[in-house]
Amino acid sequence: MKVGLLGGSFDPIHKGHVSIVKEAIKHFDLDCFYFIPTKNNPWKDHTVASGEERYEMIEIATSDEEKIKIDRIELDASENGKNYTIDTLRALVKMHPDVSYYYLMGMDQAASFDKWVEAENISKLVQLVAFNRADYPSDHENLDRYHFIKMNNVEMKASSSEIKEGHLEMLDERVLAYISRKGLYLETMIKPYLSLKRYNHSLSVAKLTREFAKCNGIDPQKGYIAGLMHDIAKEMDHKKASLIMSQEFAQFMDKPVPVWHQWLSAYLCKKDFLLDDKEILKAIEDHTTASTSMSVLGKCLYCADKLDPLRGYDSSKEIEICKENIHVGFSRQLKQFYDFSKAKNREIDPLFFEVYKTYGEGDIYD
C-alpha cells in the first residue's frame, strides 16, 4: 500500500495544499493521502487557529476528495512539546510496517532539510518528495543528498502567510466562510481595506464591542467580528461606492455619502469574506444611523463606535454605563447625538426621530 503524507500547521489550509496533494496522488498512484496537522510546529512559536479549528478547516477543504484523509497523531499527542517529524514517522512505520510512505514538502523545506532533526533517518524511513514553490529555486543539493523525488508541478503560489495578509482568493470558499464565522485571521485580513488610522479604530471598536457584548450577556466573539468589520468600506473609492449603492442599495442613495459605508461594509463582508451571520451583518448595517430594529449586538456596536477611546475625548463614564446596561447606554448615545447635531447646526435624518421614539428616553424636538 502506498500512502502520501504532508505535515504542517495548515494555519490555514489553502488551495495550493489540496492541489499538490491531488497531483501527488495521481503522479505516484497513491492509495490514499494523509494531512498531518501539527500540534506544536518546531519552526513556529504559535498558530492563530487552534488545533481543532485547523483540523476542521482541512476537513472542509478535502470533503470532496475520497482519497484524502487527516491523521490526528500529532494533534492527539499527550505531550505538549514540539512535534518532530522523525518521531511521527517512527510511530507510523511501527503501526503500519507494510505501508510505503511518500512524504511531501515544498522546495523551501527541502532546501533546509539538513537542519531537520535526524534528517538522515527520516530519508531512510520514507520516500521524500519535493514540489516546486513560487519564489524558491527548483533545485538544491539536498535533493540528491537525501534521495528526494522531485515533482515537476507548476509552482505553487499560495501560502498561509499571504492569506493572512488578505489574499482571500487562495482559500476554498467553504474554508473562507468558516474563517469569517469564527473570526480567524480577520485582524490582518482587513488591513488592505483600511488606512492605519481607520485600522486602529477598527481594532479598538472590536475590543470595546466585545466587552459590551460580554457584559450584556451575548456572544463576545460576534461583537469582536462586528467591530473589526464595521468600517471596511469606509475608505472605498467613491465611484465604486456609488456603483454598488446604485445596484444593491438604491433605496439609500439619498442618504448622506458618509453613512453609505454601513451598507457597503456589510456588502463587502458578504461578498469578499463570505460572512453569513445575519446578526453581525445587521449590526454593521445599523452602526451609523441606527434603526428601529436594533439587536443587542447592534446597540453594542453602535455605542462602541461612538465611544471609541481613540476618538480623543473622555468616554469612560459612558463606557461604564454601556457595560452595566447597553439599553440605557444606547438611549444616552442617541440623546448625545441629537444634542451634538443641534449644537453644530447639522441636519438630522428623519429616521433618527423614529429610532429615538423607539429607544430614547426624555423629550427631544424636531
Side-chain angles (χ1 to χ4, degrees), residues 6-18 35 37 44 46-62 133 156 158-172 174-180 182-186 188-189:
L6 180 63
S9 297
F10 306 110
D11 190 29
I13 187 171
H14 52 66
K15 291 178 181 177
H17 290 133
V18 179
F35 280 95
K44 298 178 181 178
H46 71 282
T47 58
V48 175
S50 69
E52 288 308 310
E53 288 168 336
R54 290 181 287 119
Y55 178 90
E56 288 172 5
M57 286 188 280
I58 299 171
E59 206 169 34
I60 291 167
T62 61
R133 287 200 64 183
M156 189 175 81
S159 74
S160 297
S161 58
E162 287 178 297
I163 289 168
K164 292 168 190 169
E165 293 168 0
H167 288 272
L168 309 184
E169 74 282 357
M170 296 177 178
L171 288 166
D172 181 302
R174 297 166 299 178
V175 174
L176 176 56
Y178 176 92
I179 284 170
S180 295
K182 290 279 190 174
L184 298 170
Y185 319 112
L186 294 181
T188 52
M189 283 179 169

Coordinates of all heavy atoms in Angstrom, one line a residue, residues 6-18 35 37 44 46-62 133 156 158-172 174-180 182-186 188-189:
L6 N 1.6 14.7 4.3 CA 2.0 16.2 4.2 C 1.8 16.7 5.6 O 0.6 16.8 6.1 CB 1.2 16.9 3.2 CG 1.6 18.4 3.1 CD1 3.0 18.6 2.6 CD2 0.6 19.1 2.1
G7 N 2.8 17.1 6.3 CA 2.7 17.7 7.6 C 2.8 19.2 7.6 O 3.3 19.8 6.6
G8 N 2.3 19.8 8.7 CA 2.4 21.3 8.7 C 1.4 21.8 9.7 O 0.6 21.1 10.2
S9 N 1.4 23.2 9.8 CA 0.5 23.8 10.7 C -0.9 24.0 10.0 O -1.9 23.9 10.7 CB 1.0 25.2 11.1 OG 2.2 25.1 11.8
F10 N -0.9 24.2 8.7 CA -2.1 24.4 7.9 C -3.0 25.5 8.6 O -4.1 25.3 9.0 CB -2.9 23.1 7.7 CG -2.1 22.0 7.1 CD1 -1.7 20.9 7.9 CD2 -1.6 22.2 5.8 CE1 -0.9 19.9 7.3 CE2 -0.8 21.2 5.3 CZ -0.5 20.0 6.0
D11 N -2.3 26.7 8.8 CA -2.9 27.8 9.6 C -3.1 29.0 8.7 O -2.5 30.0 8.9 CB -2.0 28.1 10.7 CG -2.6 29.0 11.7 OD1 -3.8 29.0 11.9 OD2 -1.8 29.7 12.4
P12 N -4.0 29.0 7.7 CA -5.0 27.9 7.4 C -4.5 27.0 6.2 O -3.6 27.4 5.4 CB -6.2 28.7 7.0 CG -5.7 29.9 6.3 CD -4.3 30.2 7.0
I13 N -5.2 26.0 5.9 CA -5.1 25.2 4.7 C -5.6 26.0 3.5 O -6.5 26.8 3.6 CB -5.8 23.9 4.7 CG1 -5.5 23.0 3.5 CG2 -7.4 24.1 4.9 CD1 -6.1 21.6 3.6
H14 N -4.9 25.9 2.3 CA -5.3 26.7 1.2 C -5.4 25.8 -0.1 O -5.1 24.6 0.0 CB -4.3 27.9 1.0 CG -2.9 27.5 0.9 ND1 -2.3 26.7 -0.1 CD2 -1.8 27.8 1.8 CE1 -1.0 26.5 0.1 NE2 -0.7 27.2 1.2
K15 N -5.8 26.4 -1.2 CA -6.0 25.7 -2.4 C -4.7 25.0 -2.9 O -4.8 23.9 -3.4 CB -6.5 26.6 -3.5 CG -7.9 27.2 -3.3 CD -8.2 28.1 -4.4 CE -9.6 28.7 -4.3 NZ -9.9 29.7 -5.3
G16 N -3.6 25.6 -2.6 CA -2.3 25.0 -3.1 C -2.0 23.7 -2.4 O -1.5 22.8 -3.0
H17 N -2.3 23.6 -1.1 CA -2.1 22.3 -0.4 C -2.9 21.2 -1.0 O -2.4 20.1 -1.3 CB -2.6 22.5 1.1 CG -1.7 23.4 1.9 ND1 -2.3 24.3 2.8 CD2 -0.4 23.4 2.1 CE1 -1.3 24.9 3.4 NE2 -0.1 24.4 3.0
V18 N -4.2 21.5 -1.3 CA -5.1 20.4 -1.8 C -4.6 20.1 -3.3 O -4.6 18.9 -3.7 CB -6.5 20.9 -1.8 CG1 -7.4 19.8 -2.4 CG2 -6.9 21.1 -0.3
F35 N -3.1 14.3 5.5 CA -2.6 15.6 6.0 C -2.3 15.3 7.5 O -3.1 14.6 8.2 CB -3.7 16.7 6.0 CG -3.7 17.4 4.6 CD1 -4.7 16.9 3.7 CD2 -2.9 18.4 4.3 CE1 -4.7 17.6 2.4 CE2 -3.0 19.0 3.1 CZ -3.9 18.6 2.1
P37 N -1.8 17.6 10.6 CA -1.7 18.9 11.2 C -0.9 18.8 12.5 O -1.1 17.9 13.3 CB -3.1 19.3 11.5 CG -3.9 18.0 11.5 CD -3.2 17.1 10.5
K44 N 7.7 27.2 14.3 CA 6.8 28.3 14.7 C 6.5 28.3 16.2 O 6.4 27.3 16.8 CB 5.5 28.2 13.9 CG 5.7 28.3 12.4 CD 4.4 28.1 11.6 CE 4.6 28.2 10.1 NZ 3.3 28.0 9.4
H46 N 3.7 29.8 17.5 CA 2.3 29.6 17.8 C 1.5 29.6 16.5 O 2.0 29.9 15.4 CB 1.8 30.7 18.7 CG 1.7 32.0 18.0 ND1 2.8 32.8 17.7 CD2 0.6 32.7 17.4 CE1 2.4 33.9 17.1 NE2 1.1 33.9 16.8
T47 N 0.3 29.1 16.6 CA -0.7 29.2 15.5 C -1.8 30.2 15.9 O -2.1 30.3 17.0 CB -1.2 27.8 15.1 OG1 -1.9 27.3 16.3 CG2 -0.2 26.9 14.7
V48 N -2.4 30.8 14.9 CA -3.6 31.6 15.1 C -4.8 30.8 15.5 O -5.5 31.0 16.5 CB -3.9 32.5 13.9 CG1 -5.2 33.3 14.1 CG2 -2.7 33.4 13.6
A49 N -5.1 29.8 14.6 CA -6.2 28.9 14.9 C -5.8 27.7 15.8 O -4.6 27.3 15.8 CB -6.7 28.3 13.5
S50 N -6.7 27.2 16.6 CA -6.5 26.1 17.5 C -6.3 24.8 16.6 O -6.6 24.8 15.4 CB -7.6 25.9 18.4 OG -8.8 25.5 17.7
G51 N -5.8 23.8 17.3 CA -5.7 22.5 16.6 C -7.0 22.0 16.0 O -7.0 21.5 14.9
E52 N -8.1 22.1 16.8 CA -9.4 21.7 16.3 C -9.9 22.5 15.2 O -10.5 22.0 14.2 CB -10.4 21.7 17.5 CG -10.2 20.6 18.5 CD -10.0 19.2 17.9 OE1 -10.9 18.8 17.1 OE2 -9.0 18.5 18.2
E53 N -9.6 23.8 15.2 CA -10.1 24.7 14.1 C -9.3 24.3 12.8 O -9.9 24.3 11.7 CB -9.9 26.1 14.5 CG -10.9 26.6 15.5 CD -10.5 28.0 16.1 OE1 -9.3 28.3 16.1 OE2 -11.5 28.6 16.6
R54 N -8.0 24.1 13.0 CA -7.2 23.7 11.8 C -7.6 22.4 11.2 O -7.7 22.2 10.0 CB -5.7 23.7 12.1 CG -5.2 25.2 12.4 CD -3.7 25.2 12.7 NE -3.4 24.7 14.1 CZ -2.6 23.7 14.3 NH1 -2.1 23.0 13.4 NH2 -2.4 23.3 15.6
Y55 N -7.9 21.5 12.1 CA -8.4 20.1 11.7 C -9.7 20.3 10.9 O -9.9 19.7 9.9 CB -8.7 19.3 12.9 CG -9.2 17.9 12.6 CD1 -8.4 16.8 12.3 CD2 -10.6 17.7 12.6 CE1 -8.9 15.6 12.0 CE2 -11.1 16.4 12.2 CZ -10.3 15.4 12.0 OH -10.8 14.1 11.7
E56 N -10.6 21.1 11.5 CA -12.0 21.3 10.8 C -11.8 22.0 9.5 O -12.5 21.6 8.5 CB -12.9 22.1 11.7 CG -13.3 21.4 12.9 CD -14.1 22.2 13.9 OE1 -14.3 23.4 13.6 OE2 -14.5 21.7 15.0
M57 N -10.9 22.9 9.3 CA -10.6 23.6 8.0 C -10.1 22.6 7.0 O -10.5 22.6 5.8 CB -9.7 24.7 8.2 CG -10.3 26.0 8.8 SD -9.3 27.4 8.8 CE -8.2 27.1 10.2
I58 N -9.2 21.7 7.4 CA -8.7 20.6 6.5 C -9.9 19.7 6.1 O -10.0 19.3 4.9 CB -7.6 19.8 7.1 CG1 -6.4 20.7 7.5 CG2 -7.1 18.7 6.2 CD1 -5.3 20.0 8.3
E59 N -10.7 19.4 7.0 CA -11.8 18.5 6.8 C -12.8 19.2 5.7 O -13.2 18.5 4.8 CB -12.6 18.3 8.1 CG -13.4 17.0 8.2 CD -13.9 16.7 9.6 OE1 -14.2 17.6 10.3 OE2 -13.9 15.5 9.9
I60 N -13.0 20.5 5.9 CA -13.9 21.2 5.0 C -13.2 21.2 3.6 O -13.9 20.9 2.6 CB -14.1 22.6 5.5 CG1 -15.0 22.6 6.7 CG2 -14.8 23.5 4.4 CD1 -15.0 23.9 7.5
A61 N -12.0 21.5 3.5 CA -11.3 21.7 2.2 C -11.1 20.4 1.5 O -11.0 20.4 0.2 CB -9.9 22.3 2.5
T62 N -11.1 19.3 2.1 CA -10.9 18.0 1.5 C -12.1 17.1 1.5 O -12.1 15.9 1.1 CB -9.8 17.2 2.2 OG1 -10.1 17.0 3.6 CG2 -8.5 18.0 2.2
R133 N 7.8 25.5 -5.4 CA 7.0 26.6 -4.8 C 7.5 27.9 -5.4 O 8.7 28.1 -5.6 CB 7.2 26.7 -3.3 CG 6.5 25.6 -2.5 CD 6.3 25.9 -1.1 NE 5.4 27.1 -0.9 CZ 5.2 27.6 0.3 NH1 5.7 27.1 1.4 NH2 4.4 28.7 0.4
M156 N 3.7 26.3 -6.9 CA 2.6 26.6 -6.0 C 2.8 28.1 -5.5 O 3.8 28.4 -4.9 CB 2.5 25.6 -4.9 CG 1.3 25.8 -4.0 SD 1.2 24.5 -2.7 CE 2.3 25.1 -1.5
A158 N 0.3 29.8 -3.6 CA -0.4 30.1 -2.4 C 0.4 29.9 -1.2 O 1.3 29.0 -1.1 CB -1.7 29.2 -2.3
S159 N 0.2 30.7 -0.1 CA 0.8 30.5 1.2 C -0.1 31.0 2.3 O -0.9 31.9 2.1 CB 2.2 31.2 1.2 OG 2.0 32.6 1.4
S160 N 0.0 30.4 3.4 CA -0.8 30.7 4.6 C -0.5 32.2 5.0 O -1.4 32.9 5.4 CB -0.6 29.8 5.7 OG -1.0 28.5 5.4
S161 N 0.7 32.6 4.9 CA 1.1 33.9 5.4 C 0.5 35.0 4.5 O 0.0 36.0 4.9 CB 2.6 34.1 5.4 OG 3.2 33.8 4.2
E162 N 0.4 34.7 3.2 CA -0.2 35.7 2.2 C -1.7 35.7 2.5 O -2.3 36.8 2.3 CB 0.1 35.2 0.8 CG 1.5 35.5 0.4 CD 1.8 35.0 -1.1 OE1 1.6 33.8 -1.3 OE2 2.1 35.9 -1.9
I163 N -2.3 34.6 2.8 CA -3.8 34.6 3.1 C -4.1 35.5 4.3 O -5.0 36.3 4.3 CB -4.3 33.2 3.4 CG1 -4.3 32.4 2.1 CG2 -5.6 33.2 4.1 CD1 -4.4 30.9 2.3
K164 N -3.2 35.5 5.3 CA -3.4 36.3 6.5 C -3.2 37.8 6.2 O -3.7 38.6 6.9 CB -2.4 35.9 7.6 CG -2.7 34.5 8.2 CD -1.5 34.0 9.0 CE -1.7 32.6 9.4 NZ -0.5 32.0 10.0
E165 N -2.6 38.1 5.1 CA -2.4 39.5 4.6 C -3.5 39.9 3.7 O -3.4 41.0 3.2 CB -1.0 39.6 3.9 CG 0.2 39.4 4.9 CD 1.5 39.2 4.2 OE1 1.5 39.3 2.9 OE2 2.5 39.0 4.8
G166 N -4.5 39.1 3.4 CA -5.6 39.5 2.7 C -5.8 38.8 1.3 O -6.7 39.2 0.6
H167 N -5.0 37.8 0.9 CA -5.2 37.2 -0.3 C -6.2 36.1 -0.2 O -5.9 34.9 -0.2 CB -3.8 36.6 -0.8 CG -2.9 37.7 -1.3 ND1 -2.9 38.1 -2.6 CD2 -1.9 38.4 -0.6 CE1 -1.9 39.1 -2.7 NE2 -1.4 39.2 -1.5
L168 N -7.5 36.5 -0.1 CA -8.6 35.6 0.1 C -8.8 34.6 -1.0 O -9.4 33.5 -0.8 CB -9.8 36.4 0.4 CG -9.7 37.5 1.5 CD1 -11.1 38.1 1.7 CD2 -9.2 36.9 2.8
E169 N -8.4 34.9 -2.2 CA -8.6 34.1 -3.4 C -7.9 32.8 -3.3 O -8.2 31.8 -4.0 CB -8.2 34.8 -4.7 CG -6.7 35.0 -4.9 CD -6.0 36.1 -4.1 OE1 -6.7 36.8 -3.4 OE2 -4.8 36.2 -4.2
M170 N -6.9 32.7 -2.4 CA -6.1 31.4 -2.2 C -6.9 30.4 -1.4 O -6.4 29.3 -1.2 CB -4.8 31.7 -1.5 CG -3.9 32.6 -2.3 SD -2.4 33.0 -1.4 CE -1.5 34.0 -2.7
L171 N -8.1 30.8 -0.8 CA -8.8 29.9 0.0 C -10.0 29.2 -0.7 O -10.6 29.8 -1.5 CB -9.4 30.7 1.2 CG -8.4 31.1 2.3 CD1 -9.0 32.2 3.2 CD2 -7.9 29.9 3.1
D172 N -10.2 28.0 -0.3 CA -11.5 27.3 -0.7 C -12.6 28.2 -0.1 O -12.5 28.6 1.1 CB -11.5 25.9 -0.1 CG -12.8 25.2 -0.4 OD1 -13.9 25.6 -0.1 OD2 -12.7 24.1 -1.0
R174 N -15.5 27.5 1.1 CA -16.1 27.0 2.3 C -15.2 27.2 3.5 O -15.7 27.4 4.6 CB -16.3 25.5 2.1 CG -17.3 25.1 1.0 CD -17.2 23.7 0.6 NE -15.9 23.3 0.1 CZ -15.6 22.0 -0.3 NH1 -16.5 21.1 -0.2 NH2 -14.4 21.8 -0.7
V175 N -13.9 27.2 3.3 CA -12.9 27.5 4.3 C -13.0 28.9 4.7 O -13.0 29.3 5.9 CB -11.5 27.1 3.9 CG1 -10.5 27.5 5.0 CG2 -11.4 25.6 3.7
L176 N -13.1 29.8 3.7 CA -13.2 31.2 4.0 C -14.4 31.6 4.8 O -14.4 32.4 5.7 CB -13.2 32.0 2.7 CG -13.4 33.5 2.8 CD1 -12.4 34.2 3.7 CD2 -13.4 34.2 1.4
A177 N -15.6 30.9 4.5 CA -16.8 31.1 5.2 C -16.6 30.7 6.7 O -17.1 31.4 7.6 CB -17.9 30.4 4.6
Y178 N -15.9 29.6 6.9 CA -15.6 29.1 8.2 C -14.8 30.1 9.0 O -15.0 30.4 10.1 CB -14.9 27.8 8.1 CG -14.5 27.2 9.4 CD1 -15.3 26.3 10.2 CD2 -13.2 27.5 10.0 CE1 -14.9 25.7 11.4 CE2 -12.8 26.9 11.2 CZ -13.6 26.1 11.9 OH -13.2 25.5 13.1
I179 N -13.7 30.6 8.3 CA -12.8 31.6 8.9 C -13.6 32.8 9.4 O -13.4 33.3 10.5 CB -11.7 31.9 7.9 CG1 -10.7 30.8 7.8 CG2 -11.0 33.3 8.3 CD1 -9.7 31.0 6.7
S180 N -14.4 33.4 8.5 CA -15.2 34.6 8.8 C -16.2 34.3 10.0 O -16.3 35.1 10.9 CB -16.0 35.0 7.6 OG -15.0 35.5 6.6
K182 N -15.8 32.2 12.3 CA -15.0 32.0 13.6 C -14.2 33.3 14.0 O -13.7 33.4 15.1 CB -14.1 30.8 13.4 CG -14.7 29.5 13.4 CD -15.0 29.0 14.8 CE -15.4 27.5 14.8 NZ -15.6 27.0 16.1
G183 N -14.1 34.2 13.0 CA -13.3 35.4 13.3 C -11.8 35.1 13.3 O -11.0 35.9 13.9
L184 N -11.4 34.1 12.5 CA -9.9 33.8 12.5 C -9.2 34.7 11.4 O -9.8 34.9 10.3 CB -9.8 32.3 12.1 CG -10.4 31.3 13.0 CD1 -10.3 29.9 12.4 CD2 -9.6 31.3 14.3
Y185 N -8.1 35.2 11.8 CA -7.2 35.9 10.9 C -7.7 37.2 10.4 O -7.1 38.0 9.7 CB -6.8 35.1 9.6 CG -6.6 33.6 9.8 CD1 -7.5 32.6 9.4 CD2 -5.4 33.2 10.5 CE1 -7.2 31.3 9.6 CE2 -5.2 31.8 10.7 CZ -6.1 30.9 10.3 OH -5.9 29.6 10.5
L186 N -8.9 37.6 10.8 CA -9.5 38.8 10.3 C -8.8 40.1 10.7 O -8.8 41.1 9.9 CB -11.0 39.0 10.8 CG -12.0 37.9 10.3 CD1 -13.4 38.1 10.9 CD2 -12.0 37.8 8.8
T188 N -5.7 40.7 10.5 CA -4.7 41.0 9.4 C -5.4 41.1 8.1 O -4.9 41.8 7.2 CB -3.5 40.1 9.4 OG1 -4.0 38.7 9.4 CG2 -2.7 40.2 10.7
M189 N -6.4 40.3 7.9 CA -7.0 40.2 6.5 C -7.7 41.6 6.1 O -7.8 41.9 5.0 CB -8.1 39.1 6.5 CG -7.6 37.7 6.4 SD -8.9 36.5 6.4 CE -8.1 35.0 5.9

